[in-house]
Amino acid sequence: MHKMIFVNLPIADVQRSRDFFTAVGYTINEQFSDENAISVELGENIVAMLLKNDFFGTFHEATTAAPGVKETLIALSAESREEVDEVVNRAVAAGGTEGRSEDHGFMYGRSFDDPDGHTWEIMWMDPAAAAGGPEAAQG
């Protein structure tokens, strides 16, 4: 059905967000970035559009959530438990705040908040468990 996802989020400072997400290891698509927004490539066909607060407000009629108010949790898959740790550790080293972590054996995840307070959950699930349920991973 859908071919791509664009997550649009309000931010306070374009350069701060650019520096942060680059340090975490993501690529910025300059074609869709300017003084009002950056286009962060999170994966194939997965894009975060980070828009300055006032620019973000031009795309909707509601009140934009203030910093510190949670409206969404963004969950991204990882190829392994190690990749989960690598991404979150880079985010924390770049100035992010470490969040919750969960380890269910067949599913592992950690989260961080970016400098604007958006929560990013990085998770891995055992492919065998995904195909056959949690009992498949327990053998």
Side-chain angles (χ1 to χ4, degrees):
M1 179 186 285
H2 303 289
K3 304 277 189 249
M4 296 182 76
I5 182 171
F6 296 87
V7 176
N8 294 271
L9 299 169
I11 59 170
D13 184 310
V14 170
Q15 189 62 50
R16 179 181 72 179
S17 291
R18 174 185 290 276
D19 294 344
F20 176 79
F21 283 96
T22 300
V24 176
Y26 296 110
T27 301
I28 306 300
N29 182 334
E30 297 299 343
Q31 182 179 1
F32 300 105
S33 300
D34 60 20
E35 68 279 355
N36 288 310
I38 59 170
S39 176
V40 182
E41 295 180 353
L42 302 170
E44 187 174 338
N45 301 322
I46 306 169
V47 179
M49 292 300 300
L50 307 180
L51 313 172
K52 281 180 65 174
N53 287 318
D54 55 343
F55 186 57
F56 181 86
T58 67
F59 290 91
H60 62 86
E61 301 299 322
T63 301
T64 299
V69 174
K70 293 285 182 226
E71 284 190 325
T72 186
L73 304 172
I74 301 107
L76 300 169
S77 64
E79 294 291 323
S80 66
R81 295 171 67 96
E82 293 77 19
E83 185 180 24
V84 169
D85 290 336
E86 290 169 7
V87 171
V88 174
N89 290 344
R90 285 194 308 261
V92 171
T97 303
E98 183 150 4
R100 298 177 57 171
S101 61
E102 296 184 57
D103 189 348
H104 301 286
F106 70 96
M107 186 171 65
Y108 175 71
R110 290 174 59 198
S111 68
F112 64 89
D113 284 359
D114 68 22
D116 288 284
H118 304 296
T119 300
W120 299 83
E121 297 178 329
I122 312 299
M123 57 85 57
W124 166 84
M125 184 181 298
D126 182 327
E135 25 326 305
Q138 295 172 1

